[in-house]
């Protein structure tokens, strides 16, 4: 698992299979990677990252989540879909195999951020 923060953009990387046995990122490493995905927040315990969206309508949210699902399958790394509301979405990402954060989580987050989404038109 490549944990040092290299200059290669996260979106140019691929998630690597993780069966455990690698150290989870510490808070400094997580914050360094989070600088490349500033829309995501780090959980109190430093084990997860989270992002929320306000979307145009329910189907816009579902369309987006279906794209997220296809991306996750392609990367072999999966998010937790915490909320699918009328206009609100919340996603959390963490590496279950190590019960904490790995670079995979930030690669997935960066690729999710690059997906098209219909956010709510400002009123
Ligand atoms: C071998 C493969 O890496 C594992 O089955 C994957 C599948 N998707 C996963 N997704 C997440 N979020 N954490 C994991 O540990 C994980 N493991």
């Amino acid at each position: 698992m490549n944990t040092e923060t290299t200059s290669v953009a996260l979106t140019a990387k691929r998630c690597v299979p993780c069966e455990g046995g690698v150290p989870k990122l510490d808070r400094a490493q997580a914050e360094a990677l989070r600088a490349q995905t500033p829309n995501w927040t780090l959980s109190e315990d430093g084990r997860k990252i989270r992002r929320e969206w306000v979307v145009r309508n329910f189907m816009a949210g579902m369309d987006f989540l279906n794209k997220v699902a296809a991306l996750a399958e392609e990367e072999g790394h999966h998010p937790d879909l915490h909320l699918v509301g009328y206009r609100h979405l919340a996603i959390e990402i963490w590496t279950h195999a190590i019960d904490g954060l790995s670079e995979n989580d930030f690669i997935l987050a960066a690729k999710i951020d690059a997906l098209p989404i219909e956010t709510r038109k400002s009123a």
Side-chain angles (χ1 to χ4, degrees), residues 16-19 76-80 93-98 104-105 108:
V16 297
C18 175
E19 299 278 9
H77 199 70
H78 303 83
D80 291 351
I93 310 176
W94 53 291
T95 302
H96 299 210
I98 59 173
N104 280 351
D105 303 310
L108 185 62

Side-chain angles (χ1 to χ4, degrees), residues 44-117:
E44 279 296 304
D45 59 10
R47 287 178 41 247
K48 303 181 180 182
I49 52 175
R50 179 186 177 92
R51 183 177 177 180
E52 300 187 5
W53 293 261
V54 178
V55 288
R56 185 146 178 259
N57 55 40
F58 189 74
M59 285 315 290
M62 289 304 297
D63 290 346
F64 175 69
L65 291 177
N66 278 308
K67 293 183 178 74
V68 171
L71 170 66
E73 282 296 290
E74 194 184 311
E75 291 292 329
H77 199 70
H78 303 83
D80 291 351
L81 305 181
H82 264 242
L83 173 69
V84 186
Y86 168 49
R87 280 209 171 114
H88 288 83
L89 304 178
I91 294 180
E92 286 192 1
I93 310 176
W94 53 291
T95 302
H96 299 210
I98 59 173
D99 192 28
L101 287 170
S102 71
E103 191 182 42
N104 280 351
D105 303 310
F106 293 91
I107 292 168
L108 185 62
K111 291 188 175 185
I112 288 173
D113 287 348
L115 292 174
I117 183 169

